[in-house]
Amino acid sequence: MGNGTATTDLDVALEKHRTELTGYCYRMLGSAFEAEDAVQDTLVRAWRSYDKFEGRSSLRSWLYRIATNVCLDMLTAGNKRARPMDLSDSTPLAQAALSPRPDNTWLEPVPDARVLPTVGDPAEAAVAKESIRLAFMAALQHLPPKQRAVLILREVLAWKASEVAELLGTTVASVNSALQRARATLAEREDKGAGAAVSDPLDEEQQRLLERYVKAFEGYDMTALTALLHEDAVMTMPPFDLWLTGHDDITGFMTTLGSACAGSRLLPVEVNGLPGFAQYKPDPDAGGFTPWSIQVLEISDGRLTGFHFFLDTKRWFPLFGLPLHLEAEPDEVEKGV
């Protein structure tokens, strides 16, 4: 590698690509943690074999080639990640039971900042954001790994067919054919509730909807919450496979099995290109509030169409840089919160 300066320069050059590579690997793998592992592996491989990099392609496309191979290796086990509604029918509230499934079953949330590099072009930024939304991510999981890579490189990252063919060591014709098949699969999936019509940045109506949501949720006001929910709204809670549909079952759950969430506090987070909140619920033992979930909200036509509670707080809260305890405000202490 020569001297220390060359090593440092290479480290800096590789590190510049970390966020966009994490976004690529996340779309490929559906897991925030696996994506970070894949990128770390990619950068280590690049560092070790840099003397073999002859500069025939750009450093960026060479890194994407390594990252693609890392992801394809990780996907050979056939593990595709899902949302609860991809695995079973919704459960009526009367039969609701909380059965967890292993972590690697689930499509995982990701903080926007870890996967969305800063880009100057608003149209490019909007495409990047839309392509990490939960519904799009879930649809990607239905594509075979190579089709997934082709679709992401062509449609999300706007690579030319010839560049993708070179990266995958195949022909332009086979790239175009894979892209057609991938588009057809995604079009089928879009009929299954794929839309979350969230503008970027949020428009005034959506901003007001979120303010009303925070007020209704923190106040645990089910009448106010019902008014914000679409009649076909969906609620999920990975790692539990239970999912509920319709405002009656959702609010019914919240006042029975979910009643410990009364009195929660919500802090805004940017997650999967969608509005979200870190939910802390009252901590009866230590006082103050303890982490409970990362909430990801889907909005369409001025109502909430989906809200997804990711409950594995020991993994999610550090990933989002969130504290593992919130102190009660002085007026809450007086009220005995």
Side-chain angles (χ1 to χ4, degrees):
M1 290 297 289
N3 62 32
T5 311
T7 302
T8 310
D9 289 349
L10 177 59
D11 284 341
V12 170
L14 295 176
E15 200 55 42
K16 261 191 219 153
H17 297 279
R18 182 182 289 275
T19 305
E20 65 168 313
L21 287 171
T22 307
Y24 176 61
C25 294
Y26 174 67
R27 293 178 188 101
M28 285 292 287
L29 301 168
S31 158
F33 294 105
E34 282 184 4
E36 301 221 330
D37 289 348
V39 171
Q40 201 50 41
D41 192 3
T42 297
L43 297 180
V44 167
R45 288 188 196 190
W47 205 88
R48 284 188 183 143
S49 56
Y50 187 69
D51 51 353
K52 297 192 193 82
F53 171 57
E54 291 158 6
R56 280 190 301 235
S57 61
S58 69
L59 178 65
R60 179 175 182 248
S61 55
W62 182 60
L63 287 171
Y64 269 93
R65 177 179 301 178
I66 299 171
T68 301
N69 289 331
V70 169
C71 289
L72 292 175
D73 286 348
M74 288 171 82
L75 289 166
T76 47
N79 51 333
K80 69 178 184 192
R81 289 173 177 266
R83 299 172 302 168
M85 55 274 216
D86 301 322
L87 300 180
S88 64
D89 292 331
S90 73
T91 310
L93 180 60
Q95 291 156 26
L98 297 175
S99 325
R101 294 203 193 190
D103 288 341
N104 64 3
T105 309
W106 304 116
L107 184 60
E108 295 180 351
V110 74
D112 286 4
R114 286 191 180 241
V115 291
L116 295 176
T118 310
V119 290
D121 177 358
E124 204 181 310
V127 168
K129 225 172 206 194
E130 280 166 24
S131 68
I132 57 164
R133 290 189 179 155
L134 293 175
F136 183 79
M137 289 291 303
L140 281 179
Q141 298 292 304
H142 291 273
L143 300 177
K146 278 211 168 136
Q147 276 184 35
R148 206 180 298 179
V150 167
L151 184 105
I152 296 165
L153 290 164
R154 291 281 286 117
E155 304 268 282
V156 178
L157 300 172
W159 285 38
K160 297 188 180 90
S162 55
E163 294 170 327
V164 178
E166 192 181 332
L167 180 141
L168 291 172
T170 184
T171 63
V172 167
S174 82
V175 165
N176 289 337
S177 159
L179 181 60
Q180 260 181 317
R181 291 198 303 277
R183 279 178 178 155
T185 303
L186 288 198
E188 280 168 33
R189 304 300 311 169
E190 276 183 329
D191 299 334
K192 307 195 176 180
V198 182
S199 60
D200 179 32
L202 295 179
D203 64 32
E204 259 180 76
E205 186 193 6
Q206 291 168 347
Q207 204 64 62
R208 277 201 303 274
L209 176 67
L210 290 181
E211 284 162 15
R212 287 164 64 203
Y213 170 74
V214 170
K215 194 174 173 195
F217 195 96
E218 289 190 342
Y220 231 56
D221 179 341
M222 294 304 137
T223 308
L225 193 60
T226 298
L228 306 179
L229 292 176
H230 192 279
E231 60 187 28
D232 298 326
V234 163
M235 175 178 170
T236 69
M237 291 163 284
F240 300 116
D241 57 14
L242 170 76
W243 64 284
L244 300 163
T245 185
H247 42 59
D248 290 347
D249 276 5
I250 290 171
T251 54
F253 178 88
M254 288 173 71
T255 51
T256 54
L257 289 175
S259 61
C261 290
S264 287
R265 288 289 162 271
L266 300 182
L267 301 183
V269 291
E270 294 187 333
V271 52
N272 284 84
L274 292 163
F277 295 94
Q279 178 196 344
Y280 290 81
K281 69 175 189 174
D283 185 338
D285 302 324
F289 299 88
T290 191
W292 184 246
S293 73
I294 295 291
Q295 302 182 0
V296 186
L297 305 187
E298 292 171 322
I299 299 171
S300 193
D301 300 328
R303 296 278 180 94
L304 292 170
T305 51
F307 57 152
H308 308 288
F309 294 70
F310 291 90
L311 302 181
D312 192 350
T313 53
K314 285 193 174 65
R315 298 168 82 220
W316 302 130
F317 276 58
L319 186 72
F320 281 80
L322 292 160
L324 289 173
H325 183 76
L326 281 189
E327 294 300 334
E329 299 292 329
D331 61 332
E332 290 168 338
V333 174
E334 281 169 34
K335 288 180 205 158
V337 169

